């Protein structure tokens, strides 16, 4: 019995988890034990500065940021009221349409332009803040640069309740942000305004960032995992360019035992013979002399090395390599479709779980509340909940092969595998608006005596090359 207990509780001779083992192979491997909020508070400003520089100067970083913004937001993630009463729903949608062009306090664009700018800030520097406030004649929205919510100012209120510019209550919930009226690097900002944060309630702020761990308070740049690779690739490209310039200047090496260079022509200065070659030139060299032309071999590996690094950059950003580089030389219909299907899954996650939840929905709720309390929505005070129901419709994603994809969608609708409402919503449109437009088209066609063939062929009727 004692021997059995000893065997049961004896320490294992080998570790079961190699990832937690120690040894030569793990020497120098970094171990992360701090919270991400602490890391961002300590190094976030440096990461954001490097990411901003890359997004403005590195062509691949600029292409990646622009591609992500265009794919996630496009022309805009549009709300569609889901109030059960059709009249109330139409009134809410009409009020929203009127407010869209007035939303931006700084008049840089409409609400959907603010969406795109907020998402760009989130991707580039990790986060974006939107401040909602009443200007007297309506609710307005102003984007705040993350530098205006400084990590270094946990000075207002109890220090234990303010972390990295974010104030928490006793339960750890965000209740306020401490915001500088002007950016610290603004040369026109007064000293007091540049370094004295103002407490802004969390209900007045939409804080957009992608959470990577529970309890995270500040965002991390999406470029953080690939910044070093982009920097290395930029240095490699500079070195390759310099090598090409040197190779273009240096033609060859003269094999000359006595060092005189006699019989080769040209001018010799400091041991360097400067001469020229023309088409059809024949060299007559004395015995023992020769010319060896240089052919650098290192440049042959530049393309493969660059593609390998760019694939790693694309993987780190979660986008297809072809979208990052525009290089479609190695793809076919099946491969590009498979890559785009996986990318669209990520887009749906970013759109609904990040942008809609952390940016669009708080703004909608605050705007609906403002309209209801202002008397623009009769019945809101009696039952406000239905007015807050909304579906956010992301931009329609273009198909790789529109004909095949549309035919597959029609077959799914006919087989009852999906509804027309679902199909229309996935394209970024409102089903009710589409149906209303179709009804108006049919009525107008009948009134004018027009007839159009809108019947799609079935699979059996489809051409053989479809």
């Amino acid at each position: 019995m004692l021997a059995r207990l000893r065997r049961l509780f004896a320490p294992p001779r080998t570790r079961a988890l190699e990832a937690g083992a120690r040894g030569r192979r793990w020497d120098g491997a970094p171990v992360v034990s701090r919270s991400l909020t602490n890391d961002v508070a300590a190094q976030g400003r440096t990461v954001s500065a490097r990411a901003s520089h890359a997004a403005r100067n590195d062509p691949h970083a600029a292409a990646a940021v622009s591609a992500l913004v265009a794919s996630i937001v496009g022309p805009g993630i549009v709300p569609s009221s889901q109030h059960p009463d059709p009249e109330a729903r139409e009134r809410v949608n009409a009020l929203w349409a009127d407010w869209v062009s007035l939303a931006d306090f700084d008049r840089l664009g409409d609400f959907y332009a603010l969406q795109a700018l907020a998402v760009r800030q989130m991707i580039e520097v990790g986060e974006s803040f939107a401040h909602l406030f009443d200007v007297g004649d309506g609710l307005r929205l102003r984007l705040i640069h993350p530098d205006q919510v400084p990590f270094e100012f946990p000075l207002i209120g109890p220090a234990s309740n303010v972390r990295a510019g974010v104030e928490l209550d006793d339960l750890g919930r965000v209740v306020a942000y401490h915001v500088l009226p002007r950016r610290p690097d603004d040369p026109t900002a007064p000293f007091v305004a540049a370094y004295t944060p103002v407490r802004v309630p969390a209900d007045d702020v939409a804080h957009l960032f992608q959470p990577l761990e529970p309890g995270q308070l500040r965002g991390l740049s999406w470029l953080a995992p690939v910044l070093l690779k982009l920097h290395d690739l930029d240095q490699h490209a500079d070195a390759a360019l310099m090598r090409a310039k040197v190779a273009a200047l240096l033609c060859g090496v003269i094999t000359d035992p006595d060092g005189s260079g006699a019989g080769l022509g040209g001018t010799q200065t400091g041991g360097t013979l400067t001469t020229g070659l023309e088409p059809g030139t024949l060299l007559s060299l004395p015995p023992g002399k020769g010319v060896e032309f240089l052919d650098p071999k290192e440049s042959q590996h530049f393309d493969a090395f660059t593609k390998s690094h760019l694939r790693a950059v694309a993987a780190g950003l979660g986008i297809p390599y072809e979208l990052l580089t525009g290089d479609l030389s190695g793809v076919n219909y099946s491969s590009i479709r498979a890559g785009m299907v996986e990318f669209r899954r990520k887009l749906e996650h970013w759109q609904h779980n990040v942008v809609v939840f952390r940016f669009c929905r708080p703004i909608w709720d605050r705007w609906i509340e403002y309209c209801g309390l202002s008397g623009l929505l009769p019945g809101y005070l009696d039952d406000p909940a239905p007015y807050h129901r909304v579906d956010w419709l992301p931009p329609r994603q273009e198909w790789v092969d529109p004909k095949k994809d549309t035919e597959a969608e029609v077959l799914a609708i006919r087989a009852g595998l999906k509804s027309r409402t679902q199909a229309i919503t996935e394209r970024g449109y409102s089903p009710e608006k589409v149906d209303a437009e179709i009804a108006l088209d049919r009525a107008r066609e009948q009134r004018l005596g027009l007839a159009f063939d809108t019947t799609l062929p079935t699979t059996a009727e489809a051409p053989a090359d479809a």
Side-chain angles (χ1 to χ4, degrees):
M1 184 64 174
L2 184 59
R4 182 180 180 184
L5 290 175
R6 287 176 178 173
R7 288 195 302 270
L8 182 63
F9 292 101
R13 295 185 179 181
T14 59
R15 292 185 180 272
L17 300 177
E18 293 183 357
R22 298 175 181 270
R24 177 179 55 82
R25 295 177 63 188
W26 283 110
D27 287 347
V31 178
V32 178
S33 59
R34 302 185 348 147
S35 73
L36 185 56
T37 297
N38 292 341
D39 289 335
V40 172
Q43 300 173 308
R45 190 176 298 278
T46 300
V47 174
S48 298
R50 288 173 176 170
S52 297
H53 181 271
R56 288 160 174 75
N57 294 276
D58 187 280
H60 297 109
V65 172
S66 297
L68 284 169
V69 173
S71 299
I72 295 174
V73 178
I77 302 177
V78 182
S80 176
S81 173
Q82 298 301 301
H83 196 289
D85 182 14
E87 293 184 2
R89 184 166 59 247
E90 291 181 4
R91 178 161 182 77
V92 170
N93 290 333
L95 287 173
W96 176 266
D98 293 338
W99 182 76
V100 163
S101 60
L102 304 174
D104 186 6
F105 178 80
D106 295 319
R107 299 182 180 180
L108 298 176
D110 62 7
F111 174 76
Y112 303 114
L114 289 180
Q115 270 188 356
L117 184 56
V119 171
R120 177 177 291 275
Q121 283 282 284
M122 175 183 65
I123 295 169
E124 184 177 313
V125 300
E127 58 189 349
S128 179
F129 297 87
H131 183 203
L132 290 140
F133 54 93
D134 183 4
V135 296
D137 60 345
L139 195 67
R140 296 293 181 266
L141 191 64
R142 168 177 265 180
L143 293 186
I144 299 173
H145 194 276
D147 285 350
Q148 292 179 245
V149 186
F151 303 108
E152 303 86 356
F153 285 99
L155 303 178
I156 298 182
S160 59
N161 287 354
V162 181
R163 295 183 60 198
V166 182
E167 184 177 334
L168 310 173
D169 63 10
D170 293 337
L171 297 178
R173 295 173 299 191
V174 177
V175 295
Y177 296 90
H178 295 275
V179 182
L180 297 175
R182 305 276 284 275
R183 291 184 62 172
D185 57 355
D186 185 350
T188 64
F191 180 84
V192 175
Y195 295 98
T196 305
V198 177
R199 185 181 186 274
V200 180
D203 293 340
D204 296 338
V205 177
H207 185 193
L208 177 61
F209 70 96
Q210 183 179 9
L212 300 178
E213 69 176 22
Q216 183 177 341
L217 298 179
R218 300 295 296 264
L220 178 66
S221 170
W222 291 23
L223 296 174
V226 300
L227 280 176
L228 187 56
K229 282 197 172 294
L230 287 171
H231 179 65
D232 290 342
L233 186 61
D234 186 57
Q235 289 185 316
H236 177 68
D238 288 343
L241 179 61
M242 182 59 66
R243 184 170 55 247
K245 289 181 178 180
V246 172
L249 295 174
L250 190 61
C251 179
V253 177
I254 299 174
T255 304
D256 186 4
D258 58 12
S260 65
L264 294 177
T267 303
Q268 186 169 0
T269 304
T272 301
L273 182 64
T274 304
T275 186
L277 296 178
E278 298 178 358
T281 299
L282 296 177
L283 292 178
S284 177
L285 302 178
K289 295 181 174 58
V291 177
E292 179 182 353
F293 291 95
L294 299 179
D295 183 17
K297 303 296 183 183
E298 294 83 354
S299 60
Q300 297 178 357
H301 307 289
F302 177 78
D303 190 54
F305 179 86
T306 301
K307 284 186 176 181
S308 175
H309 260 57
L310 289 178
R311 288 191 181 98
V313 171
L317 292 172
I319 63 177
Y321 166 80
E322 294 76 17
L323 195 61
L324 174 68
T325 63
D327 180 13
L328 300 175
S329 59
V331 304
N332 53 37
Y333 172 77
S334 299
S335 64
I336 193 66
R337 179 181 173 85
M340 292 307 296
V341 167
E342 179 63 26
F343 178 57
R344 285 173 181 172
R345 291 196 186 101
K346 297 176 183 178
L347 286 181
E348 291 177 354
H349 162 68
W350 293 328
Q351 289 166 342
H352 294 286
N353 296 344
V354 181
V355 179
V356 169
F357 185 83
R358 298 197 59 88
F359 185 82
C360 299
R361 195 179 73 167
I363 294 174
W364 173 269
D365 288 339
R366 178 65 187 279
W367 175 80
I368 284 289
E369 181 183 17
Y370 178 86
C371 292
L373 297 179
S374 301
L376 299 176
L377 298 174
Y380 174 83
L381 297 178
D382 298 330
D383 187 11
Y387 288 92
H388 289 268
R389 296 173 187 167
V390 61
D391 280 346
W392 289 90
L393 308 178
R396 179 175 64 91
Q397 299 296 327
E398 299 294 337
W399 299 108
V400 177
D401 188 329
K403 184 175 184 296
K404 292 182 179 179
D405 292 327
T406 302
E407 288 176 352
E409 195 169 33
V410 170
L411 290 176
I413 294 173
R414 289 179 176 176
L417 300 178
K418 69 188 306 184
S419 65
R420 284 185 62 255
T421 298
Q422 181 183 358
I424 295 172
T425 302
E426 289 174 351
R427 290 172 175 260
Y429 299 109
S430 169
E432 292 183 349
K433 186 176 180 180
V434 170
D435 290 343
E437 291 176 353
I438 292 175
L440 289 175
D441 287 345
R442 296 292 180 269
R444 184 171 59 255
E445 292 167 9
Q446 185 176 7
R447 184 177 69 254
L448 298 177
L450 302 176
F452 300 100
D453 183 11
T454 58
T455 303
L456 291 176
T458 61
T459 304
E461 299 170 340
D465 60 346

